[in-house]
Amino acid sequence: MTLSLERPLVLVGAGKMGGALLSGWLDKGLSAAQVFVRDPAPAPDIARLAEAGGIALNAAVRDIAAARPAVVLVAIKPQAMGDVLPELALLVHPETLFISIAAGTSLHRLKELLGAEVHAVRAMPNTPSAIGRGITVACANERVTVAQREIAQRLLAAVGNVDWVESEVQIDAVTAISGSGPAYVFYMVECLAAAAEALGLDPVLAMKLARETVSGSGEMLYRSSEPVSALRANVTSPGGTTAAALDVLMGEGGLSPLMRRAALAARDRARELGK
């Protein structure tokens, strides 16, 4: 389905995640001429788009306001919100939806920085959005209309799956799992490769085995409708090599309690960033 909007879209922050979203929108058919980008140091590909007469780069807020944008998506670091958002308050309008993907920044904080009239969605995508395989969870404030929620759904779905929660308190937990989760998986690959080296394998082969094993397993998981526990059991012969390894990973002090501690630390940090 082609992505289109009746009025312009503003992307504030064109780093890795903002850039991934923009690429997804353009790939889905959104016209570059409909896009304003505000970023003091845009990525080279975005700068080239602007030079080619596509997107409007770093236009004045007053000029953007005159275009009555449909959406302002804020993709900057949470620490920068206090400096950047107040200057965007001129864009607040009942017909304009603000979407924030800044970790830890609450809907209440958005209201403080932009004004009580803001129509706002808080969302947490993740880095696989860059290849169209992301997962995003979103929550809307009480001013968001049904039509605006549908716009948010279409924009976020351009880079992967989208789920909604009614309780914003869940977003910090989402941040700890899917938002930060890709880094956990990448680190697992590093650890698996290091274990392979410790067993005497060449470093290049060790990393290849780790990468291919994790990416291949992920693809199996994506394609299969079986429960994850069943997929695990299918690989595990009683008394075999996999069972021996799982006795360690599933034992006391193994992977499950470690992952819970890691997720808790990420959740707590998301809350700290929102203060």
Side-chain angles (χ1 to χ4, degrees):
M1 180 174 13
T2 300
L3 180 62
S4 63
L5 295 172
E6 293 181 1
R7 301 191 314 283
L9 178 150
V10 184
L11 175 64
V12 182
K16 287 185 172 59
M17 187 56 68
L21 288 166
L22 178 58
S23 295
W25 299 332
L26 297 177
D27 288 345
K28 293 292 183 181
L30 185 68
S31 170
Q34 280 192 289
V35 180
F36 291 91
V37 172
R38 286 180 61 82
D39 191 311
D45 56 338
I46 292 174
R48 285 192 294 270
L49 260 178
E51 290 172 3
I55 62 174
L57 181 60
N58 292 326
V61 174
R62 189 169 298 277
D63 293 337
I64 296 173
R68 293 175 52 244
V71 178
V72 179
L73 191 139
V74 183
I76 60 177
K77 295 184 183 300
Q79 297 91 333
M81 297 290 270
D83 294 325
V84 175
L85 258 61
E87 67 182 28
L88 301 178
L90 190 63
L91 304 180
V92 174
H93 188 279
E95 295 181 354
T96 300
L97 173 66
F98 276 75
I99 303 174
S100 167
I101 63 170
T105 304
S106 67
L107 291 170
H108 178 72
R109 179 63 172 155
L110 294 177
K111 186 183 293 187
E112 285 182 335
L113 294 170
L114 292 166
E117 303 301 313
V118 66
H119 294 229
V121 164
R122 179 183 173 190
M124 178 48 58
N126 63 1
T127 54
S129 297
I131 59 168
R133 289 280 298 274
I135 176 70
T136 300
V137 178
C139 182
N141 76 359
E142 71 283 355
R143 291 187 173 276
V144 172
T145 66
V146 172
Q148 287 175 328
R149 180 166 167 148
E150 176 57 30
I151 289 172
Q153 172 73 26
R154 285 190 283 124
L155 288 172
L156 297 171
V159 293
N161 292 317
V162 181
D163 281 288
W164 291 79
V165 292
E166 297 304 317
S167 173
E168 187 187 1
V169 72
Q170 294 180 285
I171 296 291
D172 288 332
V174 168
T175 301
I177 302 303
S178 58
S180 300
Y184 313 158
V185 176
F186 300 147
Y187 183 57
M188 184 176 72
V189 171
E190 293 180 72
C191 291
L192 193 57
E197 288 188 54
L199 294 176
L201 293 180
D202 173 79
V204 174
L205 178 59
M207 180 55 73
K208 182 177 182 179
L209 291 177
R211 289 180 70 121
E212 294 296 324
T213 297
V214 172
S215 61
S217 300
E219 187 64 21
M220 285 185 66
L221 187 63
Y222 180 72
R223 296 186 185 188
S224 177
S225 59
E226 287 191 83
V228 179
S229 58
L231 293 175
R232 170 175 53 78
N234 290 343
V235 189
T236 310
S237 301
T241 58
T242 307
L246 287 176
D247 283 344
V248 176
L249 292 174
M250 299 174 72
E252 185 177 352
L255 185 58
S256 181
L258 179 63
M259 189 60 71
R260 290 178 186 175
R261 293 200 304 274
L264 182 62
R267 193 279 312 272
D268 290 348
R269 180 56 179 156
R271 290 179 174 177
E272 291 172 2
L273 289 171
K275 292 179 180 178

